Amino acid sequence: MNDMKFPSQQMGAFSITAISDGYLSAGLDLLSNIDPMDASKLQRDAGVSDPSSIHINCYLVRGRGRTILIDAGAGGFKQWGGTLTANLALAGVRPSDIDTILLTHAHPDHIGGLMDASGEAAFPDAALVVHSREVSFWEDDGNLSRATERARGNFLFARKVFDTYRERIRAFTDQEVLPGISAMPLPGHTAGHTGYRLESGELGLLIWGDIVHFPEIQIARPDVGIAFDQDPALSAETRTRLLDVVSSDKVLIAGMHLGQPGFAHIERRGKRYEMLYEKQHRAGCAP
């Protein structure tokens, strides 16, 4: 098995590997509480060459007899992403090897990869584990009827995915989802937006889902929201609180829209936060 191309961390019994699904494109005009020029400057100062490009990460977790995937990328939905399956193969993992998929939430760039080109389940043997609030939100006809035209497509797509995995959905409400992996509610982005905390001994890692979409902007300015947030004020509150916690506790974090290095620490500098990518256990990056 060769996954040396991919950023990886060992967390006690678990090995966690960041697997890129590619990129999606979103303009800085989707951000709120910041002038696009200021947003662009933050990107430039951080060395970002394409300011509208958002990276899509998925996380492969192996250990304790399981092969787990956390989120499944966009899978080519709207020409976004689509490199997950090829990159899993480079990491020595076939779709049928995945026994559990943990979802942070059900936006298209996190669930698109759950379906193959013919509309079948891309991971035929995997249980789909997702917060019950997330499932009930997308399946509520009242929510669908109130949705904007853009959001309407997201509802229909989420329902199609849930239907495809219906026999294998495990909707949870409590904290522990698997031995050594607990769910952390991170409200605001979606109704059931969830982070996953992996712990082994004294080591801990938080996979925080969509706390940020543009990390170079929203970590420096946690008050900055994005149009994808269902509740922008709550989302900003969650982000601010979480940045305080992970910087104080020195928690290693991973996120679906961090860059390809996949893992980072948050440091507090005065009143500002800064993200430092973790280089440990990393040997190059996937293409």
Side-chain angles (χ1 to χ4, degrees):
M1 176 171 48
N2 173 26
D3 57 354
M4 290 306 289
K5 290 190 173 87
F6 300 93
S8 294
Q9 296 289 325
Q10 192 69 34
M11 196 64 55
F14 295 115
S15 78
I16 303 103
T17 306
I19 307 279
S20 174
D21 184 52
Y23 292 83
L24 64 87
S25 188
L28 298 180
D29 55 341
L30 293 172
L31 296 171
S32 53
N33 282 342
I34 192 168
D35 182 282
M37 296 298 287
D38 293 340
S40 185
K41 184 178 187 309
L42 282 170
Q43 295 275 71
R44 268 200 321 277
D45 290 351
V48 173
S49 54
D50 180 356
S52 64
S53 181
I54 295 179
H55 183 239
I56 305 168
N57 271 322
C58 309
Y59 291 88
L60 176 69
V61 180
R62 287 172 285 194
R64 299 194 174 181
R66 289 184 176 275
T67 304
I68 300 162
L69 187 63
I70 304 184
D71 285 357
F77 178 88
K78 290 189 178 175
Q79 281 72 58
W80 297 342
T83 63
L84 172 66
T85 308
N87 280 336
L88 280 173
L90 288 176
V93 176
R94 295 166 307 196
S96 57
D97 295 335
I98 304 287
D99 56 66
T100 311
I101 295 160
L102 305 182
L103 281 189
T104 63
H105 64 298
H107 275 158
D109 56 315
H110 300 260
I111 62 172
L114 292 174
M115 314 260 278
D116 64 19
S118 60
E120 300 295 315
F123 300 94
D125 301 317
L128 186 63
V129 180
V130 56
H131 198 288
S132 61
R133 267 200 305 268
E134 192 69 7
V135 179
S136 57
F137 175 85
W138 295 106
E139 294 192 332
D140 183 296
D141 287 338
N143 291 338
L144 173 61
S145 69
R146 288 187 292 273
T148 63
E149 195 52 46
R150 180 177 66 83
R152 210 182 147 72
N154 292 353
F155 274 88
L156 300 177
F157 192 66
R159 290 176 177 208
K160 188 193 290 186
V161 169
F162 290 151
D163 282 343
T164 303
Y165 283 81
R166 183 68 58 197
E167 301 303 310
R168 288 175 283 129
I169 289 181
R170 178 159 78 81
F172 64 85
T173 53
D174 49 356
Q175 204 174 8
E176 187 177 62
V177 290
L178 291 169
I181 303 179
S182 57
M184 177 188 279
L186 297 171
H189 182 55
T190 65
H193 183 233
T194 299
Y196 292 100
R197 179 82 191 237
L198 282 71
E199 291 182 86
S200 191
E202 292 185 0
L203 300 171
L205 164 72
L206 174 65
I207 297 175
W208 73 9
D210 278 11
I211 287 295
V212 297
H213 289 77
F214 291 103
E216 293 77 15
I217 297 169
Q218 292 176 290
I219 286 170
R221 289 276 311 275
D223 59 316
V224 173
I226 195 164
F228 309 139
D229 292 335
Q230 283 172 13
D231 184 334
L234 181 57
S235 209
E237 191 182 303
T238 295
R239 183 165 41 254
T240 303
R241 176 176 52 80
L242 195 59
L243 288 170
D244 182 45
V245 169
V246 298
S247 59
S248 301
D249 296 351
K250 298 182 168 45
V251 176
L252 184 65
I253 57 110
M256 280 53 199
H257 299 305
L258 300 189
Q260 286 204 350
F263 301 92
H265 278 99
I266 304 297
E267 291 195 356
R268 189 169 188 152
R269 304 274 163 91
K271 290 187 174 177
R272 284 173 80 91
Y273 296 101
E274 188 178 325
M275 179 180 70
L276 300 171
Y277 280 117
E278 185 75 3
K279 298 287 192 279
Q280 195 182 355
H281 307 314
R282 183 170 170 255
C285 257

